[in-house]
Amino acid sequence: MWNTLMAACTGRGHRLRQQPGQDRTARRTEYGVTAIALADGAGSAPLSHLGAECAVQTACRLLCRDFEALYTSPTPQAMRQWIVEQVQEAIAEKAAIYRAEPSELACTLLAVAVCGDRYLLFHVGDGVIAYQKAGKLLVASRPCNGEFTNTTVFVTSRSAAQTARVLKGTQAALEGFVLMSDGCEQALYHKRTASVAPLLGHVLQWSELLRPAVSEDMLHTVLEQHIAARTTDDCSLAVMSRAGE
């Protein structure tokens, strides 16, 4: 059994301009699979918050429904192509409702799905995917930046299927995953060493041992008071952990 926690905080910059936050998170348990996803809307895209919501919902639904088919994909490229095409199609349909171009809904996307001891991981753009194994925190996927500094790749980009990262495997010692948006990186990710803050170990422990409502309240408090305070950007976290005893 896997537990999930979600928390998001609108950045000071968006609050001052009275704009919606652009980060979105989602979770889903279906067909024996548990999935979490996080998307960060592009600051330059006027409807990116809609694209981010569409991306996380589509990714969770897809990973649960098609876990077996994706896990047995013949190549990583086939897996990347499958996920990107489905998400891009969903965003295009959403864009059409608003008479907009898909690029106006641009966002990054991070997602993890587990079924028993098997896992699937998908990542396009910035943000970080961390995991804990045998009590040790490690980074599964680093931020993917674009050609220039402070740029990234979006799931709506033409190059998304080529630049996305996918991982799969079976690991009984895995204790949990954490997805973070780039707004959390300043407080939780050390770029030079590609390591994450020990705080994430405590977050995973809350998820394992406490009632979901209690641990999620604690996560919201930490995000707003200790992480978001160090940046003007939106901040969001999606956490998945094995249920503890």
Side-chain angles (χ1 to χ4, degrees), residues 33 59 64 91 95 97 112 116 131 136 139 151 170 186 189-190 192 194 196 207 211 215 221 235 242 244:
V33 179
C64 287
I91 290 178
I97 294 172
V112 170
Y131 68 100
K136 187 174 182 179
V139 172
T151 64
T170 301
Q186 186 171 344
Y189 177 68
H190 192 264
R192 186 172 58 82
V196 293
S207 178
R211 289 185 294 110
S215 52
T221 299
C235 295
R242 291 186 190 268

Side-chain angles (χ1 to χ4, degrees), residues 1-4 26-36 56-70 112-116 118 120 240:
M1 179 179 175
W2 293 81
N3 297 331
T4 59
R27 56 187 150 196
R28 191 181 189 96
T29 298
E30 198 174 24
Y31 307 114
V33 179
T34 297
I36 57 173
V56 295
Q57 296 297 340
T58 302
C60 284
R61 184 169 60 251
L62 173 68
L63 289 173
C64 287
R65 184 192 68 196
D66 296 342
F67 184 93
E68 294 298 333
L70 287 165
V112 170
V114 295
C115 182
R118 295 180 298 161
L120 290 174
M240 177 192 294

Side-chain angles (χ1 to χ4, degrees), residues 20 37 56 75-76 80 97 107 112 114 128 144 149-150 163-164 188 201 224:
V56 295
T75 64
R80 289 195 294 267
I97 294 172
C107 62
V112 170
V114 295
V128 176
C144 177
T149 304
N150 296 325
T163 59
L188 298 177
E224 292 197 4

